[in-house]
Amino acid sequence: MPFILDQQRDADCRLAFELYRKYLDDNKWRFPPSAFALASSDWWFDFNDHRCPHDGRIISVKLYETDIAEGTTEISLSVRLAGAWQDEEHEIIYSGISAYDLGGSDADLASGHGDWRYDEFRVDDTKQVLHEIEWGNGARWLIKCRDVEHRYTPNNSESGRR
């Protein structure tokens, strides 16, 4: 059940974020530490913080398959974004992917994904992280994985503006 995606935010944005914070607090023990640190950080959803991925644009998406044992493969995904302020890059790395849907219709993708709009982290009954992302073009991604990590790289430019 989403908490802070478009329909929930549109109904009552403040309440949506309050319910999401409560969900995170109640389920902290189920989250991997790095995924919980992102989901509960003050900066991840602070659109004035350069570390926030909001309004970032895709540079690249890479899918990796690594043989970890005979007949067993681990799938990882890396998403690189140009930050909204144009003075940073983000890399979001998903490890141990068990399912993903990088959905978008023909109409959605005709002009690219647009900006990273909103997202939220949840966990399922098996303690897998679910990261749902809404893009400016209307596409929605859902990635189910063991853990997620964020790398932020400022490019030391002072000219970044939204």
Side-chain angles (χ1 to χ4, degrees):
M1 159 181 201
F3 292 90
I4 57 173
L5 299 179
D6 56 0
Q7 292 177 352
Q8 295 76 28
R9 269 190 342 276
D10 292 346
D12 185 339
C13 188
R14 197 176 116 220
L15 177 61
F17 273 93
E18 285 176 14
L19 292 172
Y20 184 56
R21 287 283 183 191
K22 181 175 177 2
Y23 167 80
L24 292 173
D25 290 342
D26 291 348
N27 290 280
K28 178 179 181 175
W29 64 275
R30 297 172 66 205
F31 275 89
S34 63
F36 184 79
L38 290 176
S40 63
S41 70
D42 291 333
W43 57 265
W44 186 264
F45 296 106
D46 179 355
F47 304 157
N48 293 311
D49 192 312
H50 291 235
R51 297 171 292 173
C52 173
H54 182 76
D55 284 344
R57 297 182 69 84
I58 292 175
I59 296 171
S60 66
V61 178
K62 295 181 181 178
L63 190 65
Y64 302 92
E65 291 192 13
T66 306
D67 291 332
I68 56 175
E70 188 170 329
T72 305
T73 301
E74 178 169 290
I75 299 173
S76 300
L77 180 71
S78 170
V79 179
R80 284 187 49 231
L81 302 172
W85 300 85
Q86 304 303 309
D87 67 349
E88 75 276 359
E89 282 190 14
H90 302 268
E91 184 177 19
I92 298 133
I93 302 160
Y94 303 90
S95 57
I97 291 178
S98 56
Y100 63 89
D101 180 0
L102 307 182
S105 70
D106 291 347
D108 293 340
L109 298 176
S111 61
H113 286 85
D115 293 349
W116 174 298
R117 300 298 296 150
Y118 294 93
D119 69 294
E120 74 177 30
F121 297 94
R122 300 184 302 272
V123 288
D124 69 8
D125 292 337
T126 66
K127 298 184 183 178
Q128 291 281 293
V129 176
L130 302 169
H131 190 201
E132 192 164 356
I133 305 161
E134 295 175 337
W135 293 94
N137 70 350
R140 292 175 79 109
W141 289 7
L142 181 61
I143 302 164
K144 182 178 179 180
C145 61
R146 181 181 62 248
D147 205 357
V148 60
E149 160 187 1
H150 174 257
R151 295 180 186 160
Y152 168 76
T153 308
N155 71 9
N156 298 321
S157 168
E158 296 297 322
S159 63
R161 292 282 179 254
R162 280 187 174 212

